[in-house]
Amino acid sequence: MGRKGVLLRWTKQLIPTLREVPLEAEIASHQLMLRAGMIRRLGAGLYTFLPLGFRALKKVEAIVRQEMDRAGALEVLMPALHPREIWDRTGRYDVLSEVMFKIEDRQGRHLVLGPTHEEIITDLVSREINSYRQLPRNFYQIQTKFRDEIRPRFGLMRAKEFIMKDAYSFDVDWDAAEKSYQAMYEAYQRIFARCGLRTRVVEADTGAMGGKSSHEFMVLAESGEDGLVECGPCGYAANLERAEGVTRGETVFEDADRENELVDTPNMRTIEEVSGFLKSPPARLIKTLIYRADEKPVAVLVPGDRDVNELKVARALGCRKLELADDATIEEATGAPVGFAGPVGLDLPLYADKKLRGYRGAITGANQADRHIVHVDLERDVRISEFHDLTYARNGDGCPRCDGTLVEKRGIEVGHVFKLGTKYSEQLGALYLDPEGKQQPAVMGCYGIGVSRTLQAVIEQRHDKDGIIWPISIAPYAVEVLMINAQDAETRRVAEQITETLEKQGVEVLMDDRDERPGVKFKDADLVGVPIRVGIGERSLAKGAVELKIRGQSDKAKEVPLDQAVAEIQGAIRQLYEELNASA
Ligand code: ATP
Ligand code: MG
């Protein structure tokens, strides 16, 4: 509420806007957060929220909190600092080793800065919940997470320290857990819609979290770090880490019936080199890659024009650690220098991509220097251990659900929901007594939202060449009152009066009272992107009016009579909320 003399004036704020695009920022939203004076960088992946940025962040948090509460989740706050032992109990001290910040206290005890909290909440539940009567329960927190990302970048998008909302549900069985999952899924849809974001839900990989299945909420954007595919006709959508594309390409090539034979390919190692030299399309070649799966060498075969998806390989093999073999291992396994591996006569477990089924007339390495084999019939000449989906889907692949075609897009992952099952409850003893007095592990789900990433994703989706276009729901202020000439007494009087009246009505107003050229102030207004701008100047005041403009809508400001200004502004606020709800 506005208290007299505490009007929110620009001259009492810290809003260090920048005209130039900062060199450190590559994508629009990062540039705009810096230029609009919302954040400042402390170090790689470390940011301070300045007052405007912090106000917007708090609004995202408030929406998240309301929707979590509405879905029946209980807010808690867990420590960011964890004893190492709890992470050892699930083996994730090793699994997440690279991403975890590890520290020691003065007694030499090992601690970690929490990258996520499954272990912590499950340990708590193991102590505090012991009967089916206490289930279901869903606990959430909004808290700082720490991850030693390999490539912190794009400002808040991939930071080393960031704000996450994480929630964890505990249920008596899978059916009940499914309901908890559904409730969170729906809450997420409402949260992102209320933040003014259009999101796409995609099937996702469960990664280091483990568990049965998961969905990610993606904000479509060219700058997104995640690839995804979607099918228009049936609505199938999946992260590239997981997406399956159906090939409709050829599998039987020229001279398929001939016996295989060695050909010379002097110094031709890559797919491009061999395909050019033998005048064959890359898809006719079979790429043979030697990996170490939990230290054991294996061969992975994929069509020459496809990329191996290592997540899929690791899942298919059920291994924990998968890495490309080094040159020495490859030479030992194939008896040839690197670049000439092939499956014919290769004494290693052979895992082939499904798309290679029925490959005839193909070309492979010969396990001999400077030689390849042509007319390879995979069924006749090679003993494949297992076929799996091991490659990345791509634009133009067939949809695995219908006869539509997949389209590739980029997205920013803002939220992730997982069906975890009983992995953590079993490992950490989150057991409850069922009505028959039998001990059962709770069935869990976990649900994350990158709160700070979401804030920036809104800007990535809602901006123009002049600056940010905030949705009314999370704008740092709803209204900016701009004094065109701050030295004019009447301008000041009217600006202060309108600001005060609005504040009494609970509207958050930023008043630009700077003694600056109007051009500078209008540019800053567009850059900072407050939804409703009220321009107050001598010219319109002479007509008994002020100028009203909605950011991102019609180009021209509209003159409204002074005595209707507050009512018009309130009407505009209502309308902006209605438009937001209509799109939700
Ligand atoms: P990513 O694939 O982008 O690294 P993740 O799968 O590791 O994300 P989760 O562990 O599911 O992410 O975390 C929940 C949410 O936290 C993500 O959906 C994302 O919005 C956010 N998040 C994850 N890592 C970061 C980060 N380094 N900086 C900012 N937000 C992040
Ligand atoms: Mg990550």
Side-chain angles (χ1 to χ4, degrees), residues 25 80 183 217 230 240-241 255-256 263 280 302 311 313 315 327 381 462 542 560 570-571:
F217 288 73
E230 59 179 22
L240 276 183
E241 290 175 354
D255 300 325
V263 293
S280 288
V302 302
L311 282 165
V313 175
R315 205 181 313 133
D327 292 2
D381 304 334
R462 303 179 59 129
V560 296
Q570 287 284 19

Side-chain angles (χ1 to χ4, degrees), residues 115-116 118 145 147 149 152-153 155-166 205 209 216-217 225-226 239 241 412-418 447-454:
T116 177
E118 284 76 17
K145 297 282 185 280
R147 294 187 183 180
E149 299 280 357
R153 59 175 185 165
L156 305 180
M157 292 289 190
R158 185 164 300 284
K160 292 203 176 198
E161 176 180 332
F162 60 96
I163 297 172
M164 196 201 284
K165 185 286 300 176
D166 43 330
D205 186 67
M209 220 55 93
E216 286 166 347
F217 288 73
E225 289 189 285
D226 281 279
N239 192 310
E241 290 175 354
I412 301 161
E413 178 199 324
V414 286
H416 202 165
V417 291
F418 290 86
Y447 318 92
I449 289 181
V451 177
S452 41
R453 183 186 284 185
T454 297

Side-chain angles (χ1 to χ4, degrees), residues 135-153:
L135 296 176
R137 287 292 184 277
N138 188 341
F139 301 99
Y140 80 97
Q141 63 177 346
I142 296 175
Q143 189 237 23
T144 301
K145 297 282 185 280
F146 299 86
R147 294 187 183 180
D148 193 1
E149 299 280 357
I150 311 174
R151 256 193 106 186
R153 59 175 185 165

Side-chain angles (χ1 to χ4, degrees), residues 86-96 119 320 427:
I86 192 156
W87 287 90
D88 279 328
R89 285 169 65 193
T90 57
R92 285 216 299 177
Y93 186 81
D94 294 326
V95 175
L96 293 177
E119 279 75 358
R320 276 173 69 129
Q427 284 171 333

Side-chain angles (χ1 to χ4, degrees), residues 402-418:
C402 76
D403 51 17
T405 300
L406 299 180
V407 180
E408 207 176 318
K409 303 218 163 135
R410 315 265 341 141
I412 301 161
E413 178 199 324
V414 286
H416 202 165
V417 291
F418 290 86

Side-chain angles (χ1 to χ4, degrees), residues 337-386:
V338 175
F340 298 95
V344 180
L346 184 61
D347 188 20
L348 284 182
L350 302 178
Y351 295 90
D353 182 51
K354 273 184 186 174
K355 297 182 184 67
L356 291 175
R357 268 222 172 92
Y359 251 56
R360 294 166 60 207
I363 300 170
T364 70
N367 302 320
Q368 293 181 30
D370 299 331
R371 288 199 157 166
H372 278 73
I373 306 182
V374 295
H375 317 315
V376 173
D377 179 329
L378 213 56
E379 206 174 312
R380 181 190 65 193
D381 304 334
V382 180
R383 187 166 317 138
I384 301 295
S385 313
E386 289 172 30

